[in-house]
Amino acid sequence: MGSFSDKNKFVLPRLFLQNKNTTSGALSSVECLDQGGQAVSGIKFHITDHSNNEGFISMFTRPSGGSTVEAIRIDSSGRVLIGATTEGDSTADDLTIATSGTTGITIRSGTSGEGNIFFSDGTSGAAEYAGTIQYSHANDHMQFATGGSERMRI
């Protein structure tokens, strides 16, 4: 649990990993080892620039019979890279997904539900769904909308 630092504030326990190496490129990690002491998965905390306190987080896994590989990275700009260490084009780099073969994204929703991708330029009202791509499982159709209105249905 935690402890009370005063009667109005609850302080949770925290874990600190402090790397006192002042060389850029240093890292700290939390790793899961198998019975033989081989790393099978973990989280690495990378220090890319000590003078600017810049870093990134990576998670790694180990495929059967292979070596550990970086699976996911959250870089110092908050971009998420899955299967990649280099972000995509600057106009579409917040989420980059890469493999060496066919790559895709699955949106799985209920049999009578909808799968959605929303394009937003605001945080409330119609601005939250100015453009949408929606697949309706109940009706087996895909709908495209711009300006908050349906423009095409397949």
Side-chain angles (χ1 to χ4, degrees), residues 12 30 42:
L12 296 175
V30 176

Side-chain angles (χ1 to χ4, degrees), residues 25-102:
L27 64 90
S28 298
S29 65
V30 176
E31 299 181 27
C32 176
L33 307 178
D34 66 12
Q35 72 281 2
Q38 297 294 311
V40 294
S41 61
I43 302 172
K44 293 182 179 179
F45 305 92
H46 303 262
I47 302 166
T48 53
D49 185 345
H50 275 278
S51 60
N52 291 316
N53 300 317
E54 181 182 353
F56 67 92
I57 299 170
S58 66
M59 292 175 243
F60 62 95
T61 59
R62 181 179 179 183
S64 178
S67 301
T68 56
V69 293
E70 184 174 312
I72 299 174
R73 175 182 293 203
I74 302 172
D75 74 9
S76 60
S77 297
R79 297 176 293 212
V80 177
L81 297 91
I82 301 173
T85 56
T86 305
E87 69 280 354
D89 182 80
S90 64
T91 62
D93 64 352
D94 299 305
L95 172 63
T96 301
I97 302 171
T99 67
S100 60
T102 304

Side-chain angles (χ1 to χ4, degrees), residues 107-116 135 137:
I107 299 174
R108 183 171 290 122
S109 47
T111 57
S112 60
E114 299 164 345
N116 298 291
Y135 184 82
H137 291 284

